[in-house]
Amino acid sequence: MLVLLPPSEGKASSGRGAPLKPESLSLPGLADAREAVLGELVELCSADEDKAREVLGLSEGLRGEVAKNAELRTAGARPAGEIYTGVLYDALGLASLDTAAKRRAARSLLVFSGLWGAVRVTDRIPSYRCSMGVKLPGLGALGAHWRTPMASVLPEAAGDGLVLDLRSAAYAAAWKPKGEVAGRTASVRVLYAPTRKVVSHFNKATKGRIVRSLLSAGAAPKGPAELVTALRDLGYVVEAQAPVKAGQAWSLDVLVDEIH
């Protein structure tokens, strides 16, 4: 099973660990695309703070994020699972998983990123600020920048198993499963049952809890239909829509009665 996650807007500090070693990151087929984004981002943030804030869409109160980006090559690095914080990652609670579940997380979780493309939770990265919606002056829109390298790298990462897609729309734009891979992909929405509407905060929290439940239970669904069964066995209310034609993903709605 491969689980695709969005990053968090807010991130923990880099700390005092050894600096980034780009060659050590998973998915080495993304290395050139990563270096292109990293190089331009560091240059932009080192040269003109005001322009960098504008490009990155940062408020005056987030001015310090520009300086942080300027030091990405020398800043301390930590496992991505420690860098990403926020509602989804708080609910996922990687640090409190048992040893077996942590091993499953290391194998199956892939976090999408405007800067790195995608990383595993064990990859050591510095704290940064660069969303997938950014349009860099040289490279252009990052969503488009990542599509070509992702198209060759991600199908291999997906292997022949289930792909559970929990990404937000901006990050889903960087890679859309196609063909045979799409047929074993399940994208998930979380709906507040009384209104059948998505509510951002608990949508993220529920997705984090879903991943934690699957990892803790040692669930290993082979495809979307088996995933539906596994989630129902774990107590989730799930409505599933199978694809109507080849090359489409399954759509799963998880219904929640309480917002928390």
Side-chain angles (χ1 to χ4, degrees):
M1 178 173 64
L2 183 68
V3 183
L4 311 181
L5 297 174
S8 57
E9 195 71 17
K11 298 173 184 68
S13 63
S14 293
R16 298 182 178 181
L20 170 73
K21 295 181 179 179
E23 68 279 5
S24 72
L25 297 179
S26 301
L27 309 180
L30 300 178
D32 290 345
R34 286 173 177 146
E35 179 56 36
V37 180
L38 178 63
E40 183 170 354
L41 185 62
V42 169
E43 182 178 359
L44 171 69
C45 292
S46 301
D48 188 331
E49 189 175 89
D50 289 331
K51 181 179 179 181
R53 278 203 307 115
E54 179 182 355
V55 169
L56 297 174
L58 301 178
S59 65
E60 176 66 31
L62 293 173
R63 183 176 289 270
E65 299 293 289
V66 176
K68 183 165 69 175
N69 282 348
E71 298 175 353
L72 283 171
R73 293 192 186 276
T74 57
R78 295 167 59 185
E82 297 177 13
I83 290 290
Y84 294 115
T85 59
V87 175
L88 188 154
Y89 291 90
D90 286 347
L92 171 52
L94 284 169
S96 62
L97 290 172
D98 64 36
T99 301
K102 285 179 179 176
R103 286 198 294 266
R104 296 181 196 110
R107 291 194 303 266
S108 62
L109 304 189
L110 203 60
V111 184
F112 274 60
S113 162
L115 173 54
W116 313 114
V119 292
R120 298 196 182 276
V121 292
T122 50
D123 285 335
R124 298 181 64 84
I125 59 173
S127 185
Y128 67 96
R129 192 66 170 244
C130 184
S131 71
M132 191 66 79
V134 164
K135 185 176 182 179
L136 291 174
L139 291 176
L142 291 180
H145 170 75
W146 286 111
R147 281 182 202 130
T148 297
M150 289 280 190
S152 60
V153 171
L154 265 293
E156 181 179 352
D160 58 2
L162 167 72
V163 178
L164 174 55
D165 191 352
L166 302 178
R167 297 172 296 167
S168 55
Y171 291 89
W175 180 61
K176 182 179 179 180
K178 296 181 179 180
E180 183 269 335
V181 179
R184 47 188 167 84
T185 297
S187 62
V188 174
R189 297 189 307 173
V190 180
L191 304 181
Y192 181 45
T195 62
R196 300 190 70 84
K197 291 183 179 179
V198 174
V199 181
S200 178
H201 179 92
F202 94 97
N203 169 59
K204 294 176 182 178
T206 302
K207 286 180 176 179
R209 285 191 285 270
I210 285 171
V211 177
R212 183 180 180 88
S213 296
L214 291 168
L215 294 173
S216 296
K222 300 298 184 183
E226 292 88 344
L227 172 64
V228 173
T229 299
L231 290 175
R232 288 173 177 165
D233 288 345
L234 289 167
Y236 293 95
V237 178
V238 182
E239 295 179 354
Q241 182 176 334
V244 296
K245 60 181 180 179
Q248 293 181 335
W250 285 58
S251 297
L252 273 55
D253 286 341
V254 176
L255 305 181
V256 182
D257 289 322
E258 297 181 359
I259 299 177
H260 59 92

